[in-house]
């Protein structure tokens, strides 16, 4: 039952970032920069506050909100502004971030402190797990959750942008 609750929590929190993005993109560029700064500072403040939260569940939830704020402000809004500023399509700008995702993916794969079930399964399947999973300490500190949330959304978006890229899978692609 805990997994189902977690799934629905993530499913209901992620649209908050999209709502912030939609509202911010209706503003002129100066307003969008203000939203980027406010969202980033709010996420940093939330991550700091999590060190005072005693409940690991609430700390995780609040960290997840910080991750969504980081995603919306630093990626959704900033990438749109950046792509427009340098004159490229947004989906190409997102695809270029693959060069950063690959080292992060490898870090998650080989870092046994990362308790994500996906990476634990990969480690077991590839036989690169050094310690028993139960021996690894669990730390629910909010900034880790915020980063994991940001990275999860980022990796999903990059995969989707590649999947819908006409040059890759479209009429001119593979």
């Amino acid at each position: 039952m805990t997994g189902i609750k977690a799934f629905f929590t993530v499913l209901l929190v992620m649209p908050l970032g999209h709502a912030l993005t939609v509202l911010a993109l209706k503003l002129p560029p100066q307003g969008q920069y203000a939203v980027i700064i406010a969202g980033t500072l709010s996420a940093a403040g939330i991550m700091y506050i999590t060190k005072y939260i005693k409940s690991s569940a609430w700390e995780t939830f609040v960290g997840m909100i910080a991750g969504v704020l980081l995603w919306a402000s630093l990626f959704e809004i900033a990438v749109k502004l950046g792509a427009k500023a340098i004159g490229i399509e947004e989906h190409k700008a997102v695809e270029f971030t693959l060069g950063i995702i690959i080292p992060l993916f490898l870090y998650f794969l080989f870092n046994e402190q990362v308790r994500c079930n996906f990476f634990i399964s990969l480690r077991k399947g590839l036989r690169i797990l050094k310690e028993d999973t139960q021996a690894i300490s669990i730390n629910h500190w909010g900034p880790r959750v915020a980063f994991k949330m940001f990275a999860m959304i980022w990796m999903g978006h990059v995969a989707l942008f590649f999947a819908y890229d006409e040059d890759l899978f479209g009429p001119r692609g593979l």
Side-chain angles (χ1 to χ4, degrees), residues 104-116:
L104 279 175
F105 183 86
L106 291 172
Y107 169 76
F108 293 148
L109 179 64
F110 291 105
N111 182 355
E112 294 185 356
Q113 295 295 318
V114 174
R115 298 283 302 211
C116 172

Side-chain angles (χ1 to χ4, degrees), residues 15-125:
L16 298 175
H18 291 293
L20 175 66
T21 302
V22 168
L23 293 174
L25 292 177
K26 293 182 186 240
L27 299 172
Q30 294 82 7
Q32 292 176 22
Y33 288 120
V35 171
I36 291 168
I37 292 167
T40 304
L41 290 176
S42 297
I46 289 169
M47 287 188 276
Y48 176 76
I49 289 169
T50 61
K51 76 182 212 173
Y52 299 107
I53 298 174
K54 300 293 184 215
S55 165
S56 61
W58 279 109
E59 190 175 3
T60 300
F61 179 74
V62 172
M64 188 171 57
I65 290 175
V68 169
L69 274 172
L70 286 174
W71 169 258
S73 57
L74 294 175
F75 209 92
E76 291 264 1
I77 303 166
V79 166
K80 285 181 188 347
L81 284 172
K84 186 176 180 182
I86 62 174
I88 63 171
E89 296 176 27
E90 178 193 350
H91 74 274
K92 288 296 180 190
V94 173
E95 289 175 1
F96 290 145
T97 66
L98 181 65
I100 300 167
I101 286 181
I102 292 171
L104 279 175
F105 183 86
L106 291 172
Y107 169 76
F108 293 148
L109 179 64
F110 291 105
N111 182 355
E112 294 185 356
Q113 295 295 318
V114 174
R115 298 283 302 211
C116 172
N117 289 334
F118 173 72
F119 288 104
I120 290 172
S121 297
L122 274 178
R123 284 184 215 118
K124 286 179 181 176

